Amino acid sequence: TYNGDLDELQCGSSDVLSTIAWYCGNAGDTPHPVGGKDANAFGLHDVLGNVSEWCHDWTPEHTGSEPVTDPCQSTPGFSGPWGPVRVTRGGSWSFFASASRAAYRGSSDPGGNNDSLGFRPVRTIP
């Protein structure tokens, strides 16, 4: 993480995460208002933990037999029990500490009901 290496991979207390992220070890089984933890160097809060960031790309089909670095899929690929799923990043209040990092890739059904998902509006600076 931008705060150091993770020292706890499950739901125990983490010195690295406690000041920057809500995760299963400190969130009390609920999401929290934005800004309750320290910001990163860019002034952004809750980049890790609290709610997973719902990404624009779809989860690609992947057999696991070949390494893949940050695949981007513009059309639905992998389908879960309810249909195609989108990529999520950053972990959430209900995830283990090991998922509270920008490189973590999860997935979620776009039609589902999930209070551990959010999104981050972005724009290009002219």
Side-chain angles (χ1 to χ4, degrees), residues 39-45:
N40 67 11
F42 299 105
L44 300 174
H45 293 268

Side-chain angles (χ1 to χ4, degrees), residues 3 13 23 36 39 55 63 65 67 69 73 82 91-92 94 96-97 101 119:
N3 207 35
S13 177
Y23 68 104
C55 300
T63 63
S65 62
T69 302
Q73 181 102 3
W82 302 277
S92 80
S94 65
F96 289 147
R101 53 192 186 92
F119 67 97

Side-chain angles (χ1 to χ4, degrees), residues 14-57:
S14 170
D15 292 338
V16 171
L17 288 178
S18 65
T19 60
I20 62 170
W22 294 109
Y23 68 104
C24 65
N26 68 355
D29 292 329
T30 188
H32 293 267
V34 174
K37 297 292 184 177
D38 294 343
N40 67 11
F42 299 105
L44 300 174
H45 293 268
D46 297 324
V47 174
L48 306 176
N50 204 23
V51 294
S52 295
E53 183 176 335
W54 199 338
C55 300
H56 180 69
D57 55 330

Side-chain angles (χ1 to χ4, degrees), residues 55-86:
C55 300
H56 180 69
D57 55 330
W58 294 93
T59 302
E61 289 284 354
H62 188 277
T63 63
S65 62
E66 57 194 55
V68 176
T69 302
D70 197 21
C72 182
Q73 181 102 3
S74 59
T75 59
F78 172 76
S79 288
W82 302 277
V85 292
R86 289 218 183 251

